[in-house]
Amino acid sequence: MATAGKVIKCRAAVAWKPNAPLVIEEIEVGPPQEGEIRIKIVASSLCHTELFHLFEGKDNRGFPTILGHEGAGVVESVGPGVADFKPGDKVIPVSAAQCGECRFCKSPKTNLCERSWLNYHVDLMSYPTTRFTCRGQPILQFTGTGTFSEYIVIRQMYVVKIADDAPLDRVCLLGCGVSTGYGAAVNTAGVTPGSVCAVFGLGAVGLGAVMGCKNAGASRIFAVDINEKKFEKAKVFGATDVLNPKAYDKPISEVLAELTNGGVDFSLECVGNTEVSRAALESCVKGWGVSVLVGYTDADFSAKPIQLISGKTWKGTLLGGFKLKDSLPKLVNDYMTGKIMLDEFITHKMDLEQINDAIHLMKTGQCIRCILTISK
Ligand code: APR
Ligand code: ZN
Ligand code: ZN
């Protein structure tokens, strides 16, 4: 391509500081270095984690930054030492690496990778320097991806090649939220046929979990949310019962215990709230109940030891336990063959310029996922 090896000037939504609207700016994106890939981002959805960083996070060092980590695009150029990708390949950049060489990558038990962004929590992908600059300043790359930019540079161990006929404006959803919820049910919880499940929180993560419970053969799926507008969608994904904890004068765990003869087999917390995590654990049946923490928060939580002593298991999951380089191409295929739903998560479509409207919609609980067209 004509741009290979050169600095590209393009549009991006820059978050200059917390609690402020994003600003559409012209930025410079440097060429990819050793082991790096420059990607033209075609579409990206907005995930709750962006809102967390922008409005709720306690660490204000992560600015100025370019948010976005559920994107999909096309390889523009590759740096030296990149053999598995070529310009024109359709790809999904992700925040969890799969280097293939570390102790964790070699174990089938986990999708953690020693080289993941998640271990460093430095919002730079082309470590130790960013390839983004704007108005003469270096700009961070949130979660190492930064997909609210027309171009990004990212190391190859974070890039997943997908089918040539995959629709990028839909499969971008697989980069985080949907895969997280879906995998939490099918991988981490290990939902079994005929089981009874409860999913707390019905955003894209929770709806992905409902879909996972259904595909794993659960016979009853309780969908729990304080926003009743989410119930209709939950039924589309397979929920058999819907519950609003605010509608009861006793804890939701007691309500579920009464409805299920002592508690559910599997519960999944997809909110990112420690009170809800506790409620989800308490909603499981003693003896064998499994509760999975999916939603992220940096708050501490507590629980009574008897909850675990009585035989329950409390687990957490990151990106649904999927080793993404191995699993995303399969999930894309599952979407193309109708095994999993993606279109149903999309409630809004907007251009990058409307990103602050998309943030408002998510913040006020009016959207499940908004797909932003990043480049045309
Ligand atoms: N009980 C039940 N549901 C709740 C509660 C509560 N106390 N509080 C909020 N919710 C619901 C909201 O009404 C909303 O429907 O949780 C849902 C959260 O959905 P989104 O905001 O759309 O978030 P999502 O993108 O699905 O992510 C969920 O996973 O990746 C993490 O950081 C992310 O913590 C977030 C979580
Ligand atoms: Zn690794
Ligand atoms: Zn996310």
Side-chain angles (χ1 to χ4, degrees), residues 5 37 39 52 56 71 74 90 112 131 141 147 149 153 164 169 174 181 214 261-262 288 320 326 331 343 350:
I37 300 175
I39 301 167
F52 184 84
E56 300 155 37
V74 177
K90 282 192 177 174
L112 299 183
R131 305 272 172 265
Q141 207 173 340
T147 55
S149 169
V153 174
D164 284 341
D169 60 349
L174 290 168
K214 162 109 186 191
N261 188 26
W288 61 77
D326 297 343
L331 287 171
D343 303 6
M350 291 184 183

Side-chain angles (χ1 to χ4, degrees), residues 48-49 201-205 225-227 230 270-272 276 295-296 369:
H48 192 108
T49 309
L202 303 172
V205 176
D225 202 299
I226 51 173
N227 179 353
K230 307 284 175 125
C270 304
V271 180
V276 181
Y296 176 77
R369 277 296 188 262

